[in-house]
Amino acid sequence: MVGTMHAWQAVERGHEVVQIEREAEARGASLRNFGQIWVSGRAGGEELDTALRARELWEAIGERVPGLGFRAIGSLTPVRNSREHAVAEAAVARPDAAARGYKLVTAEEARAINPALRGAFEAALWCERDAAVEPRTAQLHLREALGASGRYTFLPGREVREVVGNGAVRDDHGDVHQGDAVILATGAWLSGLVRELVPDLPVRRVRLQMMQTAPLGEPLATSVADADSFRYYPAYKSEALDELNAEQAQAPIAAAHKMQLLMVQRQDGGLTIGDTHEYEHPFAFDTLEDPYAHLAEVVESFLGRPLPQIRHRWAGVYAQCTDTTRVVHRQQVADGVWLVTGPGGRGMTCSPAIAETTANELGW
């Protein structure tokens, strides 16, 4: 998605673009994500500014490319006790709360916003600026729109192997591609050419597990998170969070897998639910059932009903800057060649703004 959004920025500014991809279609984190445009938990400052700008860009692109499935649905994070409530109160007291669309609502108000939440909770943190798109099809529709410009060529099934000159690369077919600028948006692929160009790249890989259900049978009007998300998103740092962490431990399975609940409904009615986080290499090759069972229990407690059948389970890997306060790693690695990677869990949310910043900095 980061690469495709760079292509979008370049075509929008009148340039011709060749997009070279290793796979025929997206198979990595750009596909295996929630499709959430997630503003609510972002750190104040550059990260929030990037997410808010990306939110604007997603909406504008969505108006032109309806197949993205852009939906300004917001999010709710139900809270169940005084400690979780205090963290939500601290978030609403942030100086940038209005920019995020934060509001602390009662349980009754939350159910009026999202009637599917019939379970037990005391209140909820509402974030009006959160949104969603369809990750499994977004890039296909973006490429269709890019192709209609007459200035875009998509070359799948090719891997860039070598930088051979100023703004020039050779692929594994032996073809050389020359441009005013080359953007290497390599995602979690950090070996091969990337390692040769930047041996000490300050980026790590992170593995996560997710799942998707059959149609719920009713609308889930917002994205939904649980209070464990407070522990993992920088926007919620506060004395109240320190007290929550000290006095209310995560469930053992959630702590072991660094879990939070995030949930969004797909256009077919199914629910995408996650996630776990694994940082230590080598990653396991299999998925574990205990985290899925924990997530199902949390979701059912909020919905007040059994989950639909689980139809898909998967693991994914994304690239994250080792300095997690950085939005992305952007580096010139050769004459006319730039590497852009490591947005972490911000990739889907922030990709339009990340690409816009690259375009602005390079003077496109």
Side-chain angles (χ1 to χ4, degrees):
M1 184 57 73
V2 172
T4 302
M5 283 298 182
H6 278 82
W8 182 273
Q9 281 288 329
V11 168
E12 284 287 283
R13 297 171 189 231
H15 301 292
E16 295 182 359
V17 174
V18 175
Q19 183 171 349
I20 302 167
E21 290 286 352
R22 300 173 73 202
E23 304 282 354
E25 294 181 3
R27 285 292 179 269
S30 295
L31 188 76
R32 306 182 201 188
N33 67 75
F34 294 95
Q36 288 180 307
I37 313 307
W38 194 247
V39 174
S40 49
R42 302 301 172 198
E46 179 189 2
E47 183 175 338
L48 178 60
D49 292 343
T50 302
L52 288 169
R53 176 57 181 158
R55 168 67 168 74
E56 294 176 5
L57 291 169
W58 272 116
E59 186 166 13
I61 298 169
E63 291 175 355
R64 295 171 53 187
V65 186
L68 292 183
F70 177 86
R71 307 182 298 284
I73 56 176
S75 73
L76 286 167
T77 304
V79 297
R80 289 176 162 156
N81 56 51
S82 60
R83 294 187 187 94
E84 295 174 358
H85 196 279
V87 179
E89 286 181 322
V92 171
R94 290 181 60 102
D96 55 16
R100 301 169 188 269
Y102 276 167
K103 184 180 180 182
L104 189 56
V105 298
T106 66
E108 292 75 17
E109 290 170 330
R111 293 188 185 99
I113 296 168
N114 190 341
L117 296 176
R118 300 185 184 92
F121 55 93
E122 292 184 358
L125 180 64
W126 163 244
C127 182
E128 179 269 339
R129 297 303 293 161
D130 289 337
V133 295
E134 292 302 295
R136 291 178 182 263
T137 57
Q139 288 184 84
L140 297 175
H141 292 287
L142 282 170
R143 289 206 301 268
E144 287 177 3
L146 286 164
S149 71
R151 288 181 277 108
Y152 173 80
T153 301
F154 181 62
L155 296 179
R158 293 173 181 247
E159 181 178 317
V160 172
R161 290 283 180 83
E162 184 181 8
V163 176
V164 294
N166 190 338
V169 294
R170 179 181 288 115
D171 67 24
D172 59 349
H173 290 221
D175 295 334
V176 173
H177 308 271
Q178 174 82 43
D180 299 295
V182 173
I183 304 299
L184 301 175
T186 60
W189 175 59
L190 304 176
S191 58
L193 177 62
V194 177
R195 183 179 292 125
E196 292 173 8
L197 293 170
V198 192
D200 298 318
L201 184 67
V203 174
R204 63 179 177 180
R205 300 170 79 235
V206 181
R207 183 179 187 264
L208 64 158
Q209 287 186 204
M210 299 171 65
M211 62 182 175
Q212 191 163 321
T213 74
L216 181 64
E218 64 178 318
L220 185 75
T222 71
S223 297
V224 177
D226 73 346
D228 276 346
S229 67
F230 292 157
R231 307 174 195 266
Y232 294 107
Y233 279 100
Y236 305 119
K237 289 182 178 178
S238 63
E239 290 184 4
L241 179 61
D242 293 341
E243 292 176 4
L244 175 71
N245 286 328
E247 300 175 14
Q248 181 177 312
Q250 278 189 285
I253 189 66
H257 295 279
K258 300 176 176 62
M259 294 177 65
Q260 62 189 352
L261 169 69
L262 297 177
M263 176 170 62
V264 63
Q265 189 171 43
R266 303 270 63 91
Q267 287 187 316
D268 69 358
L271 304 175
T272 299
I273 301 169
D275 59 354
T276 64
H277 297 87
E278 182 180 355
Y279 301 99
E280 299 300 324
H281 290 238
F283 295 139
F285 64 86
D286 47 6
T287 59
L288 301 176
E289 193 61 26
D290 286 352
Y292 289 120
H294 170 78
L295 288 170
E297 181 180 349
V298 175
V299 172
E300 290 177 349
S301 72
F302 286 152
L303 297 180
R305 54 166 285 186
L307 264 184
Q309 179 185 10
I310 305 301
R311 287 188 172 172
H312 306 281
R313 304 175 193 268
W314 67 89
V317 178
Y318 60 70
Q320 178 188 59
C321 292
T322 51
D323 177 358
T324 57
T325 65
R326 297 179 58 198
V327 173
V328 72
H329 181 79
R330 186 184 290 105
Q331 177 182 355
Q332 185 171 0
V333 295
D335 290 339
V337 182
W338 285 263
L339 173 66
V340 182
T341 188
R346 314 175 187 93
M348 195 69 171
T349 294
C350 293
S351 57
I354 289 170
E356 182 183 62
T357 299
T358 302
N360 291 341
E361 290 186 357
L362 272 57
W364 293 358

